[in-house]
């Protein structure tokens, strides 16, 4: 018999909620939102706590085409100002460094006005019901099989075998782009996934876009005569050796075929609307820490047990929120869970919440006077992200391309056999994040966005700046710390390949004036900027938005493991982490679908444990 001792809580003068829930889930993003809905649908009383509000019916969020506006919107924006390295001189070369010029105004660039205060590199997150799935580009891909299998290798838990993970996609998916009955897909889940309904443009050889497409096919060894079929290929297909295939695909998004965003927001609201599940949603509430009690297990002393959370109520309390005011505060209270607390605050906030609760590297906690519940050195470490950048040019005339060229491919020097790039090319601009992104270079702008899969370095960190839960932590990605030269070489290979394909465009789109990374007129035989110059460009200019691994699953003998394979925080009871922090490596090209898949897996694990305990 385990009995929680509630007497000696660290905070005793605060209000205590009259209701005790079975589960408390902190954060309603792709990790926490669906999990809370699933737990309540299984009959367990569940409290979902979200710092932000609900923008589900706001067209800025609901219409997927507005994703860039959504990510800039002050109604939900959380600005994290991050570092890319320990070298301030290197970071100052980043073109979109942001400076505070007072009264809520920014300067973005390399030549700040006198008196401007350096903020750093903007890394947007969404503080809102549904988390970053409410402002993201909604691109859905599966991780590489290795990204799942590595968990089997380190923990011995075969439930993570790649072949067993597709089930979670099928359970959550409501496929909106393939005829019913495709065995690789689900049709009854809560997450609509769609893809471009019409990619027939690729059949028209007159289009400049098709000329470029065919040249990319030629350069990557694909069948040039089949490009029109390849561009409609299912990006979530289930084929052997998928990770080794270089191919075009039809990009998929978590949206329905009418362009309405589909996200945990919809699932949580639908679960509440049915009025028959014990789900309680608390918006505009910042979780400030997890509460623990010492517990006993028979005669033996058991590890501390998570018994609830402390919260501060009010909108915009967190200082990443541009609307937060100095000294802003709200009433503090405690809410209790009889079974478990699940932290799903995302890759920046989850480690912060754990540390504020006394779970993290001892020295860091002691520095801020936080009583240590469990010394776990991996909390906030191993931060990793996919490197991203783009080729950007101005065409002489808008490129005829009524869609996107989407491709996953392998560059020649990639380690191993797996493809290492995701690219999408078209008449758009994407150069990373800053207040006001993405910019506009003119109606003839043409981009190939490049996303490097599988960074060799995972040396980033999320560390406390203070013990105040409203303060934003110090985030440093330490890009390229390990294997940097190899990753940069792969990046240059990808850029050179894609740039070469543009030479096939011909008039009237050509000539192209490249804006970056190699400014100048594109021409055959042109003395391009050197590979070394491009590598230096990418080293200082890559950006990212797929942060993961700051509370990672790992094996018993891994000193930096934070979770076991069932998402349980090591060394304490009743506490799990379910969000992008849990991945030991960045999951493939795009993390949002994998995060929703592990949310489903975690629901299954948690419900199984509850049934076992009740039996
Ligand atoms: C601009 C942008 C574009 C992106 N585009 C894509 C894309 O196209 N495809 C893709 O796969 N991925 C994309 N991503 C990444 C993807 O959206 C994230 O990986 C994913 O949302 C992570 O889910 P999560 O549950 O881990 O965290 P989050 O989505 O960050 O959710 C965490 C939630 O917890 C809440 N929270 C945090 N702390 C507290 C607290 N103390 N108290 C209460 N609530 C709290 C937050 O408000 C938030 O709602 C993008 C990300 C960004 C920022
Ligand atoms: C897992 O271990 C097996 C056997 O050692 C190895 O062949 C495989 O490459 C490993 N996979 C990953 C993803 O680490
Ligand atoms: C392509 O151009 C040729 C020559 O101008 C024209 O005859 C043909 O109809 C065009 N094809 C399409 C699909 O537009
Ligand atoms: C738990 O036990 C430790 C010592 O074992 C003690 O220092 C701490 O105050 C106790 N905490 C609670 C909440 O009872
Ligand atoms: C660019 O296009 C214009 C017509 O829009 C044409 O007059 C001009 O010659 C083109 N420039 C080049 C360098 O081909």
């Amino acid at each position: 018999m385990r009995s929680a001792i509630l007497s000696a809580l660290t905070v005793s003068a605060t209000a205590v909620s009259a209701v005790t829930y079975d589960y408390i889930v902190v954060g309603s993003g792709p990790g926490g939102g669906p999990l809370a809905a699933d737990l309540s649908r299984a009959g367990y009383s569940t409290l979902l706590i979200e710092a932000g509000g609900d923008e589900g019916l706001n067209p800025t969020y609901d219409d997927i085409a507005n994703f860039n506006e959504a990510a800039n919107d002050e109604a939900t924006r959380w600005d994290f100002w991050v570092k890319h390295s320990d070298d301030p001189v290197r970071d100052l070369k980043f073109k979109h460094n942001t400076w505070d010029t007072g009264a809520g105004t920014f300067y973005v660039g390399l030549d700040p006005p006198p008196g401007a205060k350096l903020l750093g590199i903007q890394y947007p997150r969404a503080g809102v019901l549904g988390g970053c799935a409410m402002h993201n580009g909604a691109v859905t891909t599966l991780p590489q099989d290795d990204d799942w299998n590595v968990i089997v290798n380190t923990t011995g838990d075969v439930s993570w075998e790649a072949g067993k993970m597709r089930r979670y996609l099928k359970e959550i998916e409501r496929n909106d782009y393939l005829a019913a009955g495709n065995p690789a897909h689900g049709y009854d889940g809560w997450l609509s996934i769609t893809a471009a309904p019409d990619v027939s443009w690729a059949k028209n050889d007159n289009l400049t876009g098709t000329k470029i497409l065919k040249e990319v096919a030629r350069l990557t060894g694909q069948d040039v005569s089949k490009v029109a079929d390849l561009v409609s290929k299912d990006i979530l297909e289930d084929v052997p050796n998928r990770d080794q295939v270089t191919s075009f695909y039809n990009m998929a998004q978590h949206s329905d075929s009418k362009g309405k965003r589909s996200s945990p927001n919809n699932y949580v609201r639908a679960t509440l609307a049915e009025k028959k599940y014990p789900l309680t949603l608390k918006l505009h509430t910042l979780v400030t820490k997890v509460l623990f009690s010492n517990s006993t297990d028979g005669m033996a002393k058991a590890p501390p047990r998570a018994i609830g959370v402390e919260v501060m109520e009010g909108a915009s309390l967190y200082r990443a929120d541009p609307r937060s005011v100095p000294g802003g505060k709200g009433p503090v209270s405690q809410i209790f869970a009889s079974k478990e607390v699940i932290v799903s605050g995302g890759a920046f906030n989850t480690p912060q919440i754990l540390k504020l609760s006394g779970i993290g590297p001892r020295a860091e906690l002691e520095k801020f006077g936080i009583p240590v519940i469990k010394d776990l050195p991996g909390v906030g470490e191993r931060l990793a992200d996919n490197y991203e950048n783009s080729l950007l040019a101005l065409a002489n005339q808008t490129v005829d391309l009524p869609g996107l060229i989407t491709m996953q491919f392998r560059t020649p020097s990639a380690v191993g056999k797996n493809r290492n790039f995701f690219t999408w090319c078209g008449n758009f601009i994407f150069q990373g994040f800053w207040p006001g992104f993405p910019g506009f270079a003119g109606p003839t702008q043409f981009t190939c966005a490049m996303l490097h899969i599988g960074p060799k370095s995972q040396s980033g960190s999320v560390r406390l700046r203070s013990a105040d839960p409203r303060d934003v932590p110090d985030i440093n990605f330490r890009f390229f710390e390990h294997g940097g030269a190899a990753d940069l070489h792969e990046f240059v290979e990808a850029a050179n390949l894609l740039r070469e394909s543009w030479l096939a465009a011909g008039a009237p789109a050509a000539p192209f004036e490249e804006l970056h990374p190699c400014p100048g007129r594109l021409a055959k035989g042109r003395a391009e900027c050197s590979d070394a110059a491009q590598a230096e460009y990418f080293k200082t200019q890559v950006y990212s938005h797929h942060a993961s691994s700051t509370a990672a699953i790992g094996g018993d003998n891994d000193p930096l493991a934070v979770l076991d394979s069932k998402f349980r925080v090591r060394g304490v009871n009743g506490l799990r982490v379910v969000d992008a922090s849990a991945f030991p490596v960045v999951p493939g090209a795009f993390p949002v679908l994998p995060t929703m898949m592990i949310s489903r897996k975690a629901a299954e694990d948690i419900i199984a444990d509850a049934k076992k305990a009740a039996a």
Side-chain angles (χ1 to χ4, degrees):
M1 260 292 287
R2 204 196 291 113
S3 67
I5 298 164
L6 299 179
S7 55
L9 295 162
T10 40
V11 182
S12 49
T14 45
V16 170
S17 162
V19 186
T20 294
Y21 299 87
D22 289 330
Y23 296 100
I24 295 176
V25 179
V26 180
S28 66
L35 174 62
D38 282 344
L39 292 174
S40 76
R41 282 169 183 263
Y44 299 102
S45 69
T46 304
L47 174 65
L48 175 60
I49 306 178
E50 168 55 51
D54 178 9
E55 300 291 341
L57 299 176
N58 177 344
T60 300
Y61 300 83
D62 195 30
D63 295 343
I64 202 81
N66 297 334
F67 65 99
N68 282 333
E69 278 170 47
N72 275 292
D73 187 4
E74 283 209 350
T76 63
R77 209 176 79 214
W78 278 10
D79 292 328
F80 291 88
W81 305 107
V82 309
K83 303 184 186 82
H84 282 173
S85 76
D86 284 321
D87 177 358
V89 178
R90 173 174 140 193
D91 274 12
L92 278 174
K93 293 179 185 162
F94 185 74
K95 286 194 286 195
H96 296 116
N97 250 312
T98 302
W99 308 70
D100 181 353
T101 43
T105 61
F106 299 113
Y107 167 83
V108 179
L110 298 172
D111 192 17
K117 185 174 154 277
L118 178 66
L119 291 165
I121 297 161
Q122 192 203 30
Y123 199 120
R125 305 294 294 184
V128 70
L129 180 63
C132 297
M134 289 299 281
H135 74 175
N136 67 8
V139 181
T140 56
T141 63
L142 288 162
Q144 301 198 334
D145 284 354
D146 284 354
D147 302 342
W148 300 131
N149 289 333
V150 70
I151 301 178
V152 180
N153 279 14
T154 54
T155 67
D157 183 344
V158 294
S159 72
W160 285 93
E161 279 169 5
K164 296 178 181 155
M165 294 301 292
R166 179 169 290 269
R167 174 160 70 82
Y168 300 107
L169 166 66
K170 290 166 75 169
E171 285 179 15
I172 65 177
E173 182 184 20
R174 178 176 292 268
N175 188 288
D176 214 356
Y177 65 96
L178 293 168
N182 184 316
H185 288 276
Y187 294 82
D188 307 315
W190 58 267
L191 183 72
S192 294
I193 302 184
T194 193
D198 180 8
V199 287
S200 60
W201 61 267
K203 292 182 183 148
N204 183 350
D205 286 343
N206 293 351
L207 297 179
T208 309
T210 308
K211 291 176 187 152
I212 294 174
L213 175 74
K214 289 192 158 181
E215 182 64 1
V216 178
R218 195 185 65 78
L219 292 167
T220 54
Q222 300 180 69
D223 188 340
V224 175
S225 69
K226 297 243 165 67
V227 292
D229 297 328
L230 292 171
V231 294
S232 66
K233 218 171 146 183
D234 175 15
I235 200 166
L236 303 176
E237 68 178 351
D238 190 8
V239 294
N241 306 325
R242 185 195 63 216
D243 302 333
Q244 287 93 53
V245 175
T246 283
S247 179
F248 299 117
Y249 293 97
N250 193 352
M251 181 186 274
Q253 288 179 295
H254 52 83
S255 145
D256 69 16
S257 55
K258 297 189 186 73
K260 295 292 179 192
R261 183 181 286 275
S262 175
S263 83
N265 176 291
N266 305 78
Y267 191 34
V268 169
R269 282 194 292 120
T271 304
L272 291 168
E274 286 189 50
K275 294 197 190 315
K276 58 182 183 193
Y277 303 116
L279 177 63
T280 305
L281 172 64
K282 219 168 151 44
L283 297 171
H284 298 304
T285 303
L286 184 72
V287 170
T288 56
K289 66 169 135 178
V290 178
L291 302 170
F292 290 91
S293 78
N294 293 326
S295 52
T296 52
D297 198 346
M299 297 302 290
K301 172 103 173 45
R305 179 172 191 83
I307 53 169
V309 296
E310 183 185 276
V311 302
M312 189 186 281
E313 283 175 73
S316 302
L317 294 172
Y318 195 54
R319 291 176 181 134
D321 185 326
R323 299 165 304 171
S324 66
V325 293
K329 60 178 188 227
V332 173
S333 63
Q334 297 178 341
I335 314 175
F336 295 98
S338 59
K339 295 189 192 299
E340 296 192 29
V341 174
I342 299 112
V343 180
S344 305
F348 299 156
N349 291 92
T350 283
Q352 180 180 19
I353 295 165
L354 291 179
K355 288 177 182 185
L356 293 170
S357 312
I359 298 179
R362 174 179 293 279
E364 183 181 346
L365 305 188
E366 286 177 346
K367 180 171 156 198
F368 296 107
I370 299 168
V372 178
I373 298 282
K374 173 67 190 172
D375 179 15
L376 263 191
V379 177
E381 300 300 303
R382 282 189 177 161
L383 172 64
D385 213 326
N386 293 321
Y387 304 128
E388 291 190 68
N389 210 275
S390 66
L391 288 183
L392 173 64
L394 295 180
N396 190 45
Q397 204 170 297
T398 302
V399 174
D400 260 335
L401 171 56
L404 290 173
I405 299 175
T406 302
M407 179 174 71
Q408 301 205 66
F409 64 112
R410 181 185 177 280
T411 63
S413 75
V415 180
K417 292 189 198 144
N418 286 356
R419 54 199 182 187
N420 58 338
F421 271 88
F422 185 105
T423 187
W424 65 111
C425 305
N427 296 300
F428 66 93
I429 191 167
F430 177 43
Q431 311 175 87
F433 304 96
W434 65 89
F437 86 99
F440 180 62
T444 66
Q445 62 190 13
F446 192 71
T447 288
C448 280
M450 294 177 282
L451 184 155
H452 178 271
I453 302 166
K456 293 174 188 66
S457 190
Q458 284 197 243
S459 302
S461 60
V462 176
R463 295 185 186 145
L464 294 179
R465 283 202 175 101
S466 82
D468 186 336
R470 292 163 296 183
D471 276 347
V472 179
D474 180 46
I475 298 166
N476 187 336
F477 280 88
R478 291 189 193 81
F479 282 156
F480 304 115
E481 194 103 328
H482 300 288
D487 279 344
L488 286 166
H489 182 61
E490 292 170 30
F491 226 106
V492 173
E493 286 177 326
N496 287 344
L497 182 145
L498 293 167
R499 181 186 296 109
E500 194 178 339
S501 75
W502 293 3
L503 288 169
F512 285 77
E513 292 290 334
E514 184 170 338
L515 300 181
H516 63 66
C518 293
R521 178 162 296 193
L522 210 68
K524 278 200 172 66
R526 164 197 181 207
E528 300 283 2
C529 63
S530 66
D531 286 0
Q534 290 188 71
E536 179 61 20
Y537 180 89
F538 292 130
K539 184 171 183 179
T540 55
Q541 303 303 330
V542 293
Y543 40 80
S544 70
H545 58 305
H546 296 163
S548 74
S549 311
T550 48
I553 296 172
D556 292 345
N557 51 9
D558 175 357
L560 291 183
V562 174
L563 309 179
D564 69 10
S565 70
K566 303 291 183 202
F567 306 92
R568 290 179 289 228
V569 177
R570 288 175 174 276
V572 297
N573 285 335
L575 183 63
R576 303 196 209 219
V577 167
V578 180
D579 63 16
S581 322
F583 294 108
V585 297
V586 193
F590 289 85
V592 74
L593 180 61
T595 307
M596 295 190 266
M597 288 164 70
I598 65 168
S599 177
R600 184 62 156 211
K601 186 177 192 338
E604 198 177 84
D605 290 342
I606 293 168
I607 292 166
D609 280 359
K611 289 192 170 147
K612 216 185 299 166

